[in-house]
Amino acid sequence: MEQGRYSVGLDIGTTKIVAIIGKENEYGKIEILGTGKSKSLGVHRGVVNNITQTISSIQQAVEQAEINSGLKIGSVVVGIAGQHIRSLQHSDYITRPDAEEVINDEDLDKLCNQVYKLVMLPGEEIIHVLPQEYKVDGQSEIKQPIGMYGGRLEANFHVVVGQVTSIKNIGRCIKSAGLDLGNITLEPLASAEAVLSQEEKEAGVALIDIGGGTTDLAIFKDGIIRHTSVIPFGGNVITEDIKEGCSIIEKQAELLKMKFGSAWPGENKDNEIVSIPGLRGREPKEITLKNLSKIIHARVVEIVEQVYVEIKNYGHEEQKKKLIAGIVLTGGGSQLKHLKQLVEYITGMDTRIGYPNEHLAGDSDEEIASPLYATAVGLLMNAIKTNGRLDVTENEMVEEHLEEEVLVGQEAAPSKTAHAVSKERKSIFDKWSEKLKDFLDNAE
């Protein structure tokens, strides 16, 4: 069966699940071939807590993307987030047998693989090992040591760690939805790929991705990832506060937040009122916009201050670690009115909203260029970069191929095709542990 040159990113979020199929065009931009979106029902704060509902939501998003594109999805790159994610700094070294030979890719892989063998807390597993600066025979601040001579190769690493069970649950959902797991990527890294420029990463920038269940932070300086963090609060807690504070149902609270919500209470006058229909013939509720924005403001300040503590812990106050490019906000929560001004007020740092449109082809759907899809676009970019040829084939080709195989194998083994397909599906889960291990071994 001919392989299509297409890739798929699957963002399993707390509020929505998005599948995006795309390919790279001749100008190096991403051409979106199809998208699918479904309400996420089995994920809480970035972690799967209901396998059945999550599988169903993944299948809905994938089917929609397949219908939109006329393609069949086989393998996906998935994002991982959630409160179980933590990161740490680690230094390691290897001694090379022959200092007269130049350092090559094998030496770097050997050093990275050594870090993967670090002993973690019980139930934890390393997701990413990201090299920062290298040292060769004591000479520091080397960004790329390949081609240099040296006996001792040393490096500082940014290590991202997650709960084994949470990672396996995602694998289980992917397998049960009839898909193959191509790769796992930390969501803030995927979002950063989609919305940050190389200049910003060099100057120093903090990416804040405000999702439904979590707020993800990624800090870059000198073009290198320096710090990642996942804060277990997002847009959903703001909706929850509105629901409680105004005594209305969640659906109404979400609509209020999106249509009339503001992170800055000073702009609303006391006489601005919105009327909410009562339940089952009850009297409608009248809510002042000033009161609404006070509720939103209180929670947003709490989230932003937590993120700012993380930024300060990195050492932003020091001249050497100053983040000149400031803050980039992305994710669905970044669309809240006046959030940019509030973040600038609290942190004193330049802030902009990050859109993933820079990497997309000119004729892409406007909706995809929204901050809401930053993570999904980043995951698609990761898929294109890592293998670029995931198992996506045209529906007609799949059907033709199966019919052909049934006819050919009819005499010898009538059930050969069905058996082969079921065996192939089974092996996806059997190989889940191996696949994750391979991915971890090959991660750069």
Side-chain angles (χ1 to χ4, degrees):
M1 196 192 302
E2 196 189 326
Q3 297 277 312
R5 289 184 62 112
Y6 310 112
S7 301
V8 186
L10 183 69
D11 174 16
I12 303 174
T14 306
T15 46
K16 66 181 189 322
I17 289 176
V18 179
I20 297 190
I21 305 175
K23 66 174 183 179
E24 198 171 27
N25 66 15
E26 66 268 36
Y27 308 108
K29 297 287 181 187
I30 291 164
E31 212 173 291
I32 305 293
L33 304 168
T35 61
K37 188 169 94 167
S38 67
K39 194 167 167 52
S40 180
L41 296 170
V43 182
H44 180 66
R45 290 191 174 164
V47 180
V48 174
N49 67 353
N50 187 318
I51 293 272
T52 317
Q53 285 184 326
T54 305
I55 292 164
S56 167
S57 297
I58 290 171
Q59 283 170 333
Q60 276 178 43
V62 165
E63 276 166 27
Q64 201 181 321
E66 287 177 340
I67 291 163
N68 285 347
S69 63
L71 300 162
K72 178 80 183 147
I73 296 176
S75 184
V76 293
V77 165
V78 182
I80 190 164
Q83 58 204 72
H84 63 97
I85 300 286
R86 68 183 183 93
S87 63
L88 56 111
Q89 297 296 115
H90 175 72
S91 295
D92 218 324
Y93 74 93
I94 56 165
T95 307
R96 301 178 66 241
D98 186 1
E100 292 303 306
E101 272 191 26
V102 294
I103 295 166
N104 57 26
D105 282 321
E106 279 176 31
D107 294 312
L108 302 193
D109 290 345
K110 189 179 171 187
L111 183 53
C112 269
N113 290 339
Q114 197 164 290
V115 180
Y116 276 112
K117 289 171 188 150
L118 272 179
V119 178
M120 289 292 117
L121 293 170
E124 283 191 334
E125 194 161 332
I126 293 173
I127 301 168
H128 288 293
V129 168
L130 306 163
Q132 296 181 324
E133 286 112 345
Y134 292 91
K135 269 188 192 178
V136 177
D137 290 346
Q139 182 190 337
S140 60
E141 293 182 13
I142 296 168
K143 283 189 182 176
Q144 182 51 277
I146 289 177
M148 297 177 78
Y149 291 101
R152 179 186 164 108
L153 177 64
E154 206 174 327
N156 293 327
F157 293 94
H158 182 73
V159 182
V160 179
V161 181
Q163 286 286 345
V164 174
T165 49
S166 298
I167 299 166
K168 281 191 173 169
N169 284 340
I170 287 178
R172 170 82 188 151
C173 293
I174 298 295
K175 173 260 159 188
S176 300
L179 303 167
D180 198 358
L181 182 68
N183 204 338
I184 285 189
T185 299
L186 186 66
E187 289 196 352
L189 295 180
S191 305
E193 194 76 16
V195 302
L196 297 181
S197 68
Q198 193 51 42
E199 288 87 350
E200 284 176 318
K201 290 181 185 177
E202 287 288 341
V205 67
L207 176 88
I208 303 173
D209 183 346
I210 306 169
T214 59
T215 298
D216 305 335
L217 170 71
I219 295 176
F220 291 83
K221 178 81 175 151
D222 301 326
I224 298 162
I225 180 83
R226 299 293 180 177
H227 184 64
T228 49
S229 176
V230 177
I231 289 144
F233 300 111
N236 287 2
V237 288
I238 300 169
T239 307
E240 196 64 32
D241 283 0
I242 297 168
K243 181 181 129 183
E244 298 296 325
C246 302
S247 302
I248 54 177
I249 61 170
E250 195 169 329
K251 198 176 173 184
Q252 293 171 334
E254 184 64 30
L255 272 169
L256 258 185
K257 180 181 81 174
M258 288 166 73
K259 281 198 162 187
F260 303 103
S262 165
W264 199 266
E267 64 140 8
N268 295 117
K269 296 181 181 73
D270 292 324
N271 60 354
E272 288 180 296
I273 289 168
V274 63
S275 183
I276 304 280
L279 296 175
R280 284 277 179 135
R282 292 178 179 85
E283 287 292 304
K285 276 197 168 62
E286 289 192 339
I287 293 157
T288 66
L289 291 190
K290 197 168 190 94
N291 197 26
L292 175 68
S293 57
K294 274 182 182 171
I295 294 169
I296 294 171
H297 176 80
R299 182 59 84 174
V300 172
V301 166
E302 192 185 336
I303 293 170
V304 174
E305 281 178 346
Q306 281 210 35
V307 174
Y308 192 41
V309 165
E310 287 286 338
I311 294 171
K312 285 195 284 195
N313 286 347
Y314 160 70
H316 164 64
E317 324 277 61
E318 300 168 32
Q319 199 52 43
K320 194 182 169 195
K321 291 184 172 181
K322 204 130 189 82
L323 305 175
I324 297 161
I327 289 170
V328 175
L329 296 169
T330 194
S334 67
Q335 295 171 303
L336 186 64
K337 219 196 294 178
H338 299 120
L339 180 65
K340 172 184 173 296
Q341 289 86 335
L342 180 68
V343 172
E344 282 184 339
Y345 177 74
I346 292 172
T347 63
M349 296 165 74
D350 285 343
T351 305
R352 75 171 177 92
I353 306 291
Y355 297 88
N357 51 356
E358 190 188 318
H359 303 283
L360 300 175
D363 57 353
S364 297
D365 189 344
E366 265 183 50
E367 194 190 5
I368 301 296
S370 147
L372 202 67
Y373 292 94
T375 304
V377 170
L379 291 168
L380 174 58
M381 288 170 69
N382 183 283
I384 289 169
K385 197 193 276 182
T386 47
N387 42 13
R389 297 175 187 220
L390 295 180
D391 178 23
V392 184
T393 42
E394 293 192 29
N395 278 325
E396 298 77 35
M397 282 160 58
V398 174
E399 283 158 22
E400 275 172 27
H401 179 78
L402 288 179
E403 280 168 20
E404 236 178 309
E405 207 171 8
V406 170
L407 290 169
V408 171
Q410 235 163 14
E411 286 175 14
S415 63
K416 181 188 168 193
T417 308
H419 175 69
V421 171
S422 78
K423 195 174 171 190
E424 192 185 320
R425 285 279 179 248
K426 262 188 222 163
S427 69
I428 291 170
F429 187 58
D430 295 340
K431 289 177 186 169
W432 154 240
S433 306
E434 289 166 37
K435 266 193 167 298
L436 184 58
K437 223 170 177 188
D438 288 349
F439 156 61
L440 293 173
D441 288 344
N442 296 328
E444 286 176 10

